[in-house]
Amino acid sequence: AQRVTQPEKLLSVFKGAPVELKCNYSYSGSPELFWYVQYSRQRLQLLLRHISRESIKGFTADLNKGETSFHLKKPFAQEEDSAMYYCALRTNTNAGKSTFGDGTTLTVKP
Amino acid sequence: GAGVSQSPRYKVAKRGQDVALRCDPISGHVSLFWYQQALGQGPEFLTYFQNEAQLDKSGLPSDRFFAERPEGSVSTLKIQRTQQEDSAVYLCASSLAPGGNTIYFGEGSWLTVV
């Protein structure tokens, strides 16, 4: 069975500082990894996915199969980045099911 | 429509009552998903539909939980004889294609069982 772990419940940084939200997974096959974000009073929404290798709102994430990690990074955090972030995994054998971590609350202080 | 719509947004049920939660996916979306999110945790998969077919219901926690999507659009999640441990946010999501990469979530239905 697959599992996603986000070791930090809370993360606080100052505006302009680099930020890294950690995500580790366990799955024996080839996973698809995603980051979702939930801003205050808004619905959960997709931030980025590893297969697109894209940068969204300055965030990037690289899938490291050796370390089974998919950490989310941004070089200069902004106050509007404050939100709840969830890492999620989907397998190629069951595309209908995503497994989520328990989330990290990011606070960017002025 | 503007997005995935869920109703009711908030529901308080007495223990033992039956509840029904409705989800209106984005028009034309083939895939529909239900997740349960307990306080302080991430969403947990309940079930998945492709059109009207329920392809995976492995996440339903007990036979008190039942989901349907009879015409391949609107879906209802029914919980019979609610228990306190059923208190959670129930999230519905949809995607255009089967296994589509972009999944759109609703705002959730907050269920409190007292």
Side-chain angles (χ1 to χ4, degrees):
Chain A
Q2 56 266 31
R3 184 181 175 92
V4 175
T5 303
Q6 295 179 249
E8 303 138 328
K9 273 281 189 192
L10 303 170
L11 185 61
S12 182
V13 301
F14 284 102
K15 176 183 172 181
V19 63
E20 179 180 69
L21 293 91
K22 291 184 167 53
C23 172
N24 292 91
Y25 67 90
S26 61
Y27 177 60
S28 55
S30 290
E32 294 180 77
L33 274 297
F34 303 82
W35 276 99
Y36 288 83
V37 61
Q38 187 167 26
Y39 301 103
S40 180
R41 298 188 193 87
Q42 293 188 28
R43 61 189 70 194
L44 194 61
Q45 58 185 285
L46 178 67
L47 180 62
L48 54 79
R49 48 193 177 235
H50 91 270
I51 58 172
S52 300
R53 302 185 66 81
E54 57 201 344
S55 173
I56 302 293
K57 299 183 179 182
F59 284 97
T60 59
D62 290 316
L63 178 59
N64 186 324
K65 291 188 177 181
E67 295 183 357
T68 59
S69 68
F70 187 57
H71 303 328
L72 183 68
K73 301 177 184 179
K74 185 169 183 176
F76 308 103
Q78 303 300 314
E79 289 180 70
E80 56 265 30
D81 296 328
S82 296
M84 175 73 90
Y85 291 81
Y86 293 96
C87 182
L89 176 153
R90 198 170 69 181
T91 73
N92 55 1
T93 57
N94 187 355
K97 174 181 177 180
S98 293
T99 300
F100 286 80
D102 284 338
T104 297
T105 301
L106 173 66
T107 301
V108 181
K109 296 179 287 188
Chain B
V4 178
S5 178
Q6 293 188 244
S7 61
R9 290 292 321 281
Y10 304 93
K11 175 71 178 179
V12 178
K14 291 185 178 179
R15 190 167 49 186
Q17 272 187 330
D18 297 347
V19 300
L21 308 176
R22 176 187 168 105
C23 173
D24 279 274
I26 295 173
S27 178
H29 277 199
V30 169
S31 300
L32 185 144
F33 314 83
W34 283 100
Y35 286 83
Q36 180 191 58
Q37 186 172 20
L39 194 62
Q41 297 182 18
E44 287 204 21
F45 173 81
L46 293 177
T47 187
Y48 158 57
F49 290 86
Q50 187 172 311
N51 295 306
E52 69 278 4
Q54 190 174 21
L55 297 188
D56 187 344
K57 55 181 182 179
S58 62
L60 296 177
S62 76
D63 58 8
R64 296 186 297 104
F65 287 72
F66 172 76
E68 60 182 3
R69 194 186 185 198
E71 296 178 358
S73 55
V74 171
S75 177
T76 304
L77 176 67
K78 297 179 180 178
I79 309 173
Q80 297 178 321
R81 305 181 303 280
T82 51
Q83 304 293 317
Q84 281 193 313
E85 61 263 27
D86 300 334
S87 296
V89 178
Y90 290 85
L91 297 170
C92 179
S94 69
S95 68
L96 181 60
N101 280 326
T102 302
I103 298 173
Y104 298 88
F105 281 85
E107 293 179 294
S109 289
W110 295 65
L111 173 64
T112 302
V113 181
V114 297

